[in-house]
Amino acid sequence: MAKRKLTNEQKALQAWDYMQIQNVMGRHMYYHGAGKHHEELDELWAQKHEVTWSGNFGIQIGMESVRYNYGFSHDKSNQIALERVIKVHPEVENKPENWGIGTLIAHTLTTPVIEIAEDGETAKGVWYSPGIVTETGPAGKPQPQYMWEKYGVDFIKEDGEWKIWHIHMYYDLNFGPGEDWTKPAPPPPPPDPSLPAAPPRKYDAPATYKYKGYSETTVPVIKPDLPEPYKTFADVEPY
Amino acid sequence: MAKLSMEERMAIYEKKVQKALDYAEIQNVFALHEYYHHAPTKEFDMIFAQKQPDVSFGQNNGMWVGRENVRKNYVGQTKEQLKKKLATLRKWHPDIPNDIKYAASGEAGIHMLTTPLIEIADDGQTAKGMWYTPGFMTMFNEKTGKWNSVWMYEKYAIDFIKEDGKWKIWHFNALCDFATPYEKSWVESSEERRLNPGGEFMGLNDKRDVPGLGTTDYSTRRVQPMDLPKPPEPYRTFSETFSYGPQK
């Protein structure tokens, strides 16, 4: 592990920055859990630097792309999900206030490893996230899932405030209550052909790394790469 | 912009360092709540505010307010109540020793602290924190003679206050998103309760001193709220922010 020498001033600022970064990620979780993705993108994400969202399916590059997928596509999915719910529960009203009805999402943040650059301008953090996701399935019923995943996140300072810059997701487990996660997941219920399908996500580049989640043949690896102390962002690889 | 003097820079760093220290201490105080959860008397005297008349303990169905009410209801049970509890337990399981310290045999619970969001007031006298807490509880069921295992996912919304230089829990809220037997999904459990209302649920049906923050547990009819509870925002002094305590 790299060693470094920090001045007392730098140590004081890093302690402060650690706290602010934990708060930014905490806010991300609470916004995401409430489906307030547009607000989250406006308040917590970098506006002056190119943001990215990465995973096994590819990379979304730039705010327009991230907002299309995380914001507008998510809104559309909520609209469609509401129509599916109404088919099963006709007493539910079709209005935007009911988007997200019956959902419960909590991607908790545990086990942080956070390194702030010596120049104080960027930071890198990883978290383990044992979470729950309850979203409306193709048949209009809520589908409860446990989702255990890891976050690798780069942060950048804009106007003195920490902002999310690059997020990379690494998915370990996705299983329903009562299911054995070591066994392959059962097939999902068939979709109702009379209802529209959710819009597919769009990616601007292929994945730089395909993380293999749990299976009987998966060998555990340390991914995302754990942050190490660093001087400035040019010295490290982005998430 | 004029360069700040060394004194001015030190003053800024001092404030930031103090807040960072406060952040660490608050994390520790609240972690103590978890580790002492099963010794609530000790916890209440050690880390709850002792000098605030509106110290409170809240859940979805309301809050207990004031030291005596919180002590009576959260801290628990009198010797007589424990003896009665033990007697019921031993009717089902006579091998359990006839000693009051076994009244809580088989009870367990862990509420982990994740996703912290903590803001310390600029005046350093109060702080607000939210955490997400996945956990479990195991409790004895007097009707079946067995212990129930339940997954519980909740949010904490807490006001802290400094008393004699130490951070204390002032307004406490544990706001249940769901509690479900381990063998059922939270959707299944919540649908059972929605379609058969009126049953007992995790002790969250009892009457409290004042209403809670307006939160409810998971339902297929609920739109997950952003502002229940409202996440903390940076603030200067407590009078300028909202309270997680009894609502005016």
Side-chain angles (χ1 to χ4, degrees):
Chain A
M1 197 182 302
K3 288 189 192 299
R4 59 180 171 189
K5 282 181 90 167
L6 296 174
T7 64
N8 285 340
E9 268 185 51
Q10 283 175 311
K11 287 181 185 177
L13 286 172
Q14 289 219 350
W16 166 265
D17 286 335
Y18 179 98
M19 184 175 86
Q20 297 302 310
I21 283 163
Q22 286 268 62
N23 275 358
V24 166
M25 281 306 284
R27 286 188 202 285
H28 154 72
M29 200 228 82
Y30 294 115
Y31 274 106
H32 181 35
K36 302 289 182 193
H37 294 180
H38 290 288
E39 290 87 338
E40 180 197 326
L41 289 172
D42 291 338
E43 290 171 32
L44 305 182
W45 285 66
Q47 305 298 315
K48 301 178 180 178
H49 299 82
E50 186 175 78
V51 296
T52 59
W53 187 303
S54 305
N56 280 359
F57 293 110
I59 310 174
Q60 299 157 21
I61 302 173
M63 180 56 81
E64 201 178 309
S65 182
V66 173
R67 192 181 289 277
Y68 169 82
N69 290 286
Y70 191 50
F72 296 117
S73 183
H74 180 259
D75 291 343
K76 192 70 189 160
S77 295
N78 272 337
Q79 273 181 282
I80 291 168
L82 180 56
E83 286 169 27
R84 292 178 184 157
V85 168
I86 289 168
K87 262 208 134 183
V88 180
H89 303 288
E91 73 280 10
V92 172
E93 282 185 68
N94 193 348
K95 55 183 183 181
E97 289 87 344
N98 279 339
W99 289 359
I101 194 168
T103 65
L104 176 64
I105 294 171
H107 295 295
T108 68
L109 297 171
T110 79
T111 330
V113 179
I114 300 170
E115 291 290 349
I116 296 130
E118 278 181 37
D119 67 9
E121 294 299 323
T122 64
K124 298 179 80 62
V126 301
W127 285 262
Y128 206 98
S129 175
I132 49 167
V133 173
T134 317
E135 291 180 316
T136 304
K141 297 274 189 171
Q143 288 182 313
Q145 292 285 310
Y146 289 110
M147 262 183 98
W148 288 48
E149 55 196 18
K150 294 190 274 275
Y151 281 90
V153 187
D154 294 323
F155 300 86
I156 192 159
K157 236 178 197 166
E158 288 184 348
D159 303 321
E161 301 284 329
W162 285 105
K163 301 289 181 182
I164 296 170
W165 188 16
H166 313 126
I167 283 189
H168 195 141
M169 303 304 305
Y170 304 77
Y171 302 102
D172 274 318
L173 303 172
N174 192 351
F175 61 102
E179 286 172 15
D180 179 350
W181 64 80
T182 66
K183 307 275 186 290
D192 183 340
S194 71
L195 288 170
R201 300 294 157 113
K202 286 186 197 170
Y203 297 93
D204 303 296
T208 50
Y209 178 84
K210 289 216 175 199
Y211 181 72
K212 197 173 176 206
Y214 178 83
S215 78
E216 288 182 354
T217 56
T218 301
V219 176
V221 294
I222 297 182
K223 279 289 182 191
D225 296 327
L226 298 180
E228 298 273 343
Y230 69 104
K231 285 196 160 89
T232 189
F233 203 75
D235 297 340
V236 294
E237 289 297 317
Y239 287 126
Chain B
M1 192 166 88
K3 207 174 163 180
L4 294 173
S5 68
M6 175 62 85
E7 269 175 6
E8 284 166 328
R9 280 174 33 217
M10 285 300 118
I12 292 171
Y13 297 145
E14 207 179 300
K15 283 193 177 142
K16 292 192 169 183
V17 165
Q18 185 57 57
K19 278 202 178 181
L21 273 174
D22 287 332
Y23 179 97
E25 280 178 29
I26 282 166
Q27 288 266 54
N28 277 354
V29 164
F30 208 55
L32 277 174
H33 158 70
E34 302 305 356
Y35 292 114
Y36 278 99
H37 189 42
H38 290 284
T41 309
K42 229 176 180 171
E43 177 199 343
F44 185 69
D45 291 335
M46 206 165 57
I47 59 173
F48 271 73
Q50 302 297 309
K51 299 179 182 179
Q52 313 306 316
D54 67 338
V55 65
S56 60
F57 187 104
Q59 291 172 290
N60 284 351
N61 59 320
M63 301 182 190
W64 296 306
V65 184
R67 284 191 62 216
E68 286 318 303
N69 277 346
V70 174
R71 186 185 282 280
K72 187 171 73 174
N73 291 287
Y74 169 58
V75 174
Q77 294 169 312
T78 62
K79 228 174 182 173
E80 289 317 307
Q81 286 168 321
L82 287 170
K83 279 184 182 168
K84 205 173 157 198
K85 192 174 169 184
L86 179 65
T88 307
L89 188 59
R90 292 188 75 248
K91 269 197 198 139
W92 289 97
H93 304 279
D95 60 300
I96 287 177
N98 190 12
D99 182 332
I100 203 173
K101 72 181 182 198
Y102 290 96
S105 273
E107 286 184 9
I110 291 182
H111 303 288
M112 293 178 280
L113 295 178
T114 82
T115 327
L117 174 47
I118 302 168
E119 293 288 351
I120 294 126
D122 286 349
D123 69 7
Q125 296 306 305
T126 63
K128 302 179 79 62
M130 252 175 86
W131 286 262
Y132 207 90
T133 173
F136 74 86
M137 294 284 290
T138 309
M139 301 150 298
F140 183 68
N141 185 326
E142 295 178 1
K143 293 186 181 134
T144 64
K146 295 182 182 178
W147 285 263
N148 294 337
S149 294
V150 175
W151 296 117
M152 269 184 94
Y153 276 52
E154 309 177 289
K155 291 186 195 75
Y156 285 115
I158 314 288
D159 289 326
F160 297 86
I161 192 161
K162 239 178 189 166
E163 288 184 346
D164 303 320
K166 297 243 181 247
W167 286 107
K168 303 284 181 179
I169 296 170
W170 181 16
H171 304 131
F172 175 105
N173 293 279
L175 306 166
C176 184
D177 267 330
F178 68 79
T180 185
Y182 76 93
E183 72 275 11
K184 283 188 194 175
S185 86
W186 52 90
V187 173
E188 202 183 333
S189 294
S190 79
E191 280 295 81
E192 280 174 8
R193 288 196 304 107
R194 185 179 67 83
L195 296 168
N196 300 284
E200 205 281 323
F201 175 63
M202 302 297 299
L204 296 178
N205 306 73
D206 58 338
K207 198 170 176 322
R208 302 289 171 100
D209 295 328
V210 299
L213 296 178
T215 51
T216 57
D217 58 300
Y218 174 79
S219 159
T220 57
R221 298 301 188 271
R222 185 186 84 167
V223 177
Q224 193 168 350
M226 175 66 198
D227 57 354
L228 287 176
K230 195 171 166 192
E233 298 277 340
Y235 68 105
R236 292 192 305 181
T237 189
F238 200 75
S239 59
E240 295 178 3
T241 191
F242 60 93
S243 171
Y244 286 136
Q247 302 293 291
K248 294 195 175 81

